[in-house]
Every structure is written in C-alpha cells, then in structure tokens.
Amino acid sequence: MEYLPNILFAIALVLGIGYFANNVRKLIRNIKLGKDVDVSDNKPQRWKNMAYIALGQSKMVKRPIAGFLHVIVYIGFVIINIEVLEIIIDGLFGTHRIGHQVLPESIYGFLIGSFEILAVLVLVAVIIFWLRRNVIKLKRFMKDEMKGWPKSDGNIILYFEVVLMCLFLVMNATDTVFQGYNSGNIISQFIAPWFDGFSEATLHTIERTAWWLHIIGILVFLNYLYFSKHLHILLAFPNTYYGKLTPQGQFTNNEAVTKEVKLMMDPNVDPFAAPPEGAEAAMPEKFGASDVQDLSWVNLLNAYTCTECGRCTSECPANQTGKKLSPRKIMMDTRDRLEEVGKNIDANKGTFVDDGKQLLDNYITREELWACTSCNACVEACPVSIDPLNIIMEMRRYLVMEQSAAPTELNNMMTNIENNGAPWPYNQMDRLNWKNE
Ligand code: SF4
Ligand code: SF4
C-alpha cells in the first residue's frame, strides 16, 4: 500500500503518454497520405524561419495586443511545465519537491517564484482572450466556420489553462512544507491565508488533490491536442521549417505541361508534329487535387497546424467583399476531410475504402475556389507559415485540367490562348485590335 500512489502515478503516466503516442502515429500516417514533395533544400534558411517564426513568434506580434498576450501564454505555459519534471520525479519515486532537495534554495525559490508570476500573467492573458471571443466578439471569431465545435474548442482550451494555473497556485499555497521554505512563494503566500483555520490533514488533502488534478490535467491536455486546433503548439515548429521558401506568387508548374505549353507558343514548332519522345510518360496520373490524397504532405501538415486564428480570412479581399471564400475554412475543411479519410483507413484495416466523398464539393465548393484573387494576403498574414492559396490553386488546377470546369470567362481566355497565342479573341494578324475594345 505504501507504493500505491507511485504505482497509480506510473499507470496514469504510461496511459497518458501511450495514448498520445498512438495519436501521433496516426497523425504522421495521415500527413504521409499526401504526395511527396522535396523540401530538403536550403536547410539553414529553414532553421532560421523556424527559430524566427515559431520560437520567436515574429509574425504573431504583427498584431501587437493578440501577439503580446499569446507570447505570455506561450512562454508561461512552456516554462511552467518545466515544473512538471519535478512532479513526475516526485510521483514516480515518492519524493516531495525533489527540486528543493537537489537545487540551492535560492535557485529553487527563483524558479518556482518565476513560475508563480507567469501563472498569474497567463491567467490574465487567458481571461482577456476569453473576453475577446465571447464578450467583445471580434469579427474574425464570429465567421460561419467558427460556429459549433471550433468555438467550443477555442473556449475549452482557455478553461483548461485557467484550471491548470489555479491548481498550480492552490497546490503551492496549501503545501505547508513549501510555504515553510518562505522562498519562491511569491504569489501563493497571498493565497495561503485563504486556508487559515484548516487542519494540517485537510491542507494535505487539498494539496495532494491539486497535485493529482494538475498532473492528470496536463496528461488530458496533452491528449486533447490531437482533437483540437491547439495541435499547433507542436506542429508550428515543423510547419515553419517546411514553409515555402520561393517568392510569394511563384506557382509550381508541372514540368511536362510547361514544356508542352512552351512548344505550343513557339512559332518555330510545327503544331501538327508528333509530341516529343517521353512527353507522354512524364505526365502525372492526375492534374491538381480533388481530394486530400492529391495534395502534398506539406499541405496536409499545414491543415493540422492551422490555429483557426482567422488572420488570413480577415485579410482576404474576397472574404472582405462578401464572397463565400474564407482561407481559414479551406484549411479547416482540408483537416476535417483528412481526419475522415484517416478514420476510414482505421475502420478498414489500414486501407482506404471509397466513401463516395471528396474534398472538392463535399467540403470546399467551386464557388469558394473561384472567388480567390490569388493575392497571397492570407499567406502573408498567417503566423505559422500556412499556405491556403496552394490548396486553392491545386483544386482549381484539377477543375481546369481534369474537368474543363473553369468559369466561362476563363475558358474563353484559355481557348483564345490555345487558338490565337494571346488571351484576346483575335487571330495573330489582328492582335492589336484589343486596343479598340
Ligand atoms: S490568395 Fe485568395 S484566399 Fe488568400 S487572401 Fe487572397 S483572395 Fe483570399
Ligand atoms: S491559415 Fe494561418 S492565419 Fe489562417 S486561420 Fe490558420 S493559422 Fe490562422
């Protein structure tokens, strides 16, 4: 019985980490459903981007209020969780505040004192975040795609953080041994008097309860990440590393198609001659994307990383002018469809069985796709280097090249290019007629 708490703790730890590891395995499997793409170039620049954008939060602070609050929550959450190391060692080996035993009093006091201050700052930041979502009702959190689960998800995580920070402070305030050290209890010393008059045994029970709930809360939080937009806490790092390095506005072209178009536009080439050898073989099986498996794995990593912050949508000119398009919804739909495909694979012993659905039409409509001006504002605005435009262009490419389903205006223009070598409806001889239009 003496070791029962340690055994229970070890079981909770193994279950929590085991379930998380299983979800990480599924996550990687789902991301790998995407097409391969070579992102092994320019490693120094990629590391720099990751350090600057994910670790340094450089794009977050472009909106100073939200950015500053986010930095507090981010730093606070990461640093306070260093204290989890102590909880794990104490839990497994039955020690009490092992940090105090192995570290000099001043250092231990400084660390826990800093954690307590950060906990209060996190609490303040989280309350402001909650007010922005639920009382001030910022426009970007009120869009259609944010109704239902996305709204609840945004709030649940805030409640989680409030509870975890409170448990941490109550745990410290009711820990008579820690209060006795009289160092590091910078905040908790003011909470401790709330428990005056409680017996030693009751204080011990409250302290143990807060301690257990704190660590169980952290394990639940860890496992909640997979089902939440808060997966970005982990994925922002690889996502910024694998982010696009080419200039914004530079699209990827299929080599075989580019070659064919160049030949078509070259006046020295006989249009009736047989296609060059090998051109046929280089053609892809399918142009563009109609479902998640047609996208690249970086697109899919993007989808899982989306924080649903809506900065992209708030900058999108199509959205601002009342069109149906929201780049945030493009990312959310891609993630939801990918999850659906992943569950299909799980249910069918590792193989995807056609479910009669796809990303195009079942999730993202053609109207949304054609509303995009390809301005790149969403890409520029994203704080974690997500590229919604790339997904939109891949799906448009599918519509144009596989289904010839472009809007009439575009079809006319493409026919003109094909027939006349220019977008205007005049033959080569009359090519300057456009001036008179
Ligand atoms: S590229 Fe398209 S989706 Fe992105 S902001 Fe511009 S119009 Fe909106
Ligand atoms: S794509 Fe980027 S900017 Fe848009 S909601 Fe997701 S994280 Fe925010």
Side-chain angles (χ1 to χ4, degrees):
M1 282 303 275
E2 189 193 339
Y3 297 109
L4 186 63
N6 308 73
I7 294 167
L8 289 177
F9 185 89
I11 292 171
L13 205 60
V14 168
L15 287 180
I17 293 175
Y19 189 62
F20 176 68
N22 188 42
N23 279 334
V24 169
R25 185 190 58 76
K26 270 193 208 169
L27 187 76
I28 295 171
R29 192 255 340 248
N30 288 358
I31 290 172
K32 282 187 171 170
L33 291 175
K35 280 187 183 163
D36 203 12
V37 57
D38 184 12
V39 276
S40 58
D41 58 327
N42 208 344
K43 289 195 172 76
Q45 184 60 41
R46 293 187 179 280
W47 282 111
K48 205 169 139 193
N49 285 354
M50 188 173 85
Y52 192 57
I53 302 171
L55 198 64
Q57 306 261 303
S58 58
K59 288 183 92 178
M60 273 309 294
V61 292
K62 285 194 175 164
R63 295 198 182 190
I65 298 176
F68 178 65
L69 294 171
H70 190 271
V71 168
I72 289 178
V73 174
Y74 166 72
I75 295 178
F77 200 75
V78 170
I79 293 185
I80 292 166
N81 279 325
I82 295 173
E83 185 251 356
V84 173
L85 273 179
E86 182 183 53
I87 293 186
I88 291 176
I89 296 171
D90 285 349
L92 288 176
F93 301 104
T95 48
H96 183 71
R97 292 196 179 259
I98 184 77
H100 186 260
Q101 291 162 35
V102 296
L103 293 172
E105 173 100 23
S106 56
I107 294 182
Y108 187 75
F110 172 77
L111 284 176
I112 302 288
S114 313
F115 298 162
E116 289 199 352
I117 291 171
L118 279 169
V120 173
L121 290 175
V122 170
L123 273 174
V124 172
V126 163
I127 290 167
I128 298 174
F129 276 143
W130 186 86
L131 290 171
R132 282 158 55 91
R133 279 176 181 267
N134 298 284
V135 179
I136 304 170
K137 298 193 175 177
L138 286 190
K139 210 167 143 200
R140 67 187 156 108
F141 296 126
M142 297 294 125
K143 299 271 178 186
D144 282 351
E145 69 268 20
M146 293 308 286
K147 300 210 165 96
W149 169 246
K151 180 172 189 229
S152 310
D153 181 30
N155 282 328
I156 286 172
I157 215 85
L158 296 178
Y159 301 141
F160 239 119
E161 282 165 14
V162 169
V163 171
L164 285 178
M165 294 304 117
C166 288
L167 285 170
F168 171 65
L169 291 172
V170 168
M171 177 182 91
N172 283 357
T174 51
D175 186 342
T176 47
V177 180
F178 174 64
Q179 289 298 319
Y181 297 156
N182 220 5
S183 89
N185 54 353
I186 293 177
I187 305 293
S188 58
Q189 62 176 306
F190 299 106
I191 303 172
W194 301 354
F195 300 95
D196 276 351
F198 285 51
S199 69
E200 192 75 15
T202 312
L203 279 178
H204 183 67
T205 306
I206 296 173
E207 188 271 335
R208 283 294 85 191
T209 307
W211 187 92
W212 272 102
L213 289 177
H214 185 64
I215 187 65
I216 287 171
I218 284 169
L219 290 173
V220 172
F221 183 90
L222 186 69
N223 282 288
Y224 179 71
L225 289 183
Y226 179 75
F227 305 95
S228 159
K229 71 186 183 100
H230 282 79
L231 208 43
H232 75 266
I233 294 175
L234 306 173
L235 295 187
F237 293 90
N239 200 70
T240 47
Y241 180 85
Y242 291 117
K244 190 176 166 186
L245 295 184
T246 50
Q248 277 175 20
Q250 182 175 324
F251 293 117
T252 49
N253 288 322
N254 179 277
E255 216 179 304
V257 176
T258 309
K259 210 188 286 176
E260 199 165 291
V261 171
K262 277 184 182 161
L263 284 173
M264 193 180 81
M265 306 291 277
D266 186 346
N268 301 318
V269 171
D270 175 5
F272 302 107
E277 217 173 301
E280 205 56 28
M283 287 292 173
E285 276 176 26
K286 180 177 178 179
F287 290 106
S290 61
D291 210 346
V292 284
Q293 295 97 324
D294 306 324
L295 293 167
S296 77
W297 66 263
V298 174
N299 292 140
L300 304 186
L301 174 64
N302 277 188
Y304 273 126
T305 309
C306 179
T307 72
E308 296 175 12
C309 67
R311 291 182 181 213
C312 53
T313 297
S314 68
E315 305 272 331
C316 172
N319 192 275
Q320 283 173 0
T321 49
K323 310 279 189 316
K324 248 188 112 188
L325 173 65
S326 160
R328 169 173 56 192
K329 178 178 172 290
I330 299 288
M331 301 318 300
M332 291 165 76
D333 284 344
T334 305
R335 182 198 55 208
D336 292 349
R337 172 60 183 159
L338 182 55
E339 270 297 290
E340 187 175 54
V341 169
K343 282 182 189 146
N344 179 313
I345 292 173
D346 289 335
N348 295 296
K349 301 189 180 117
T351 317
F352 176 68
V353 175
D354 189 5
D355 57 359
K357 290 191 201 168
Q358 58 175 5
L359 184 62
L360 178 68
D361 296 331
N362 296 105
Y363 285 82
I364 300 174
T365 62
R366 293 160 197 237
E367 187 186 342
E368 288 168 77
L369 294 174
W370 292 115
C372 177
T373 66
S374 66
C375 67
N376 265 297
C378 52
V379 184
E380 176 63 30
C382 182
V384 283
S385 303
I386 287 171
D387 187 350
L389 177 58
N390 190 255
I391 295 179
I392 294 172
M393 295 315 280
E394 283 301 317
M395 295 183 76
R396 278 188 183 184
R397 189 169 278 174
Y398 171 81
L399 286 172
V400 172
M401 300 186 77
E402 293 283 343
Q403 297 203 328
S404 301
T408 320
E409 299 86 341
L410 279 181
N411 268 338
N412 289 344
M413 184 200 72
M414 288 186 284
T415 309
N416 289 335
I417 291 180
E418 200 169 350
N419 294 337
N420 310 327
W424 301 285
Y426 312 114
N427 64 38
Q428 293 282 340
M429 302 305 293
D430 300 325
R431 58 188 302 157
L432 293 180
N433 278 10
W434 64 271
K435 285 193 302 180
N436 307 325
E437 285 276 308

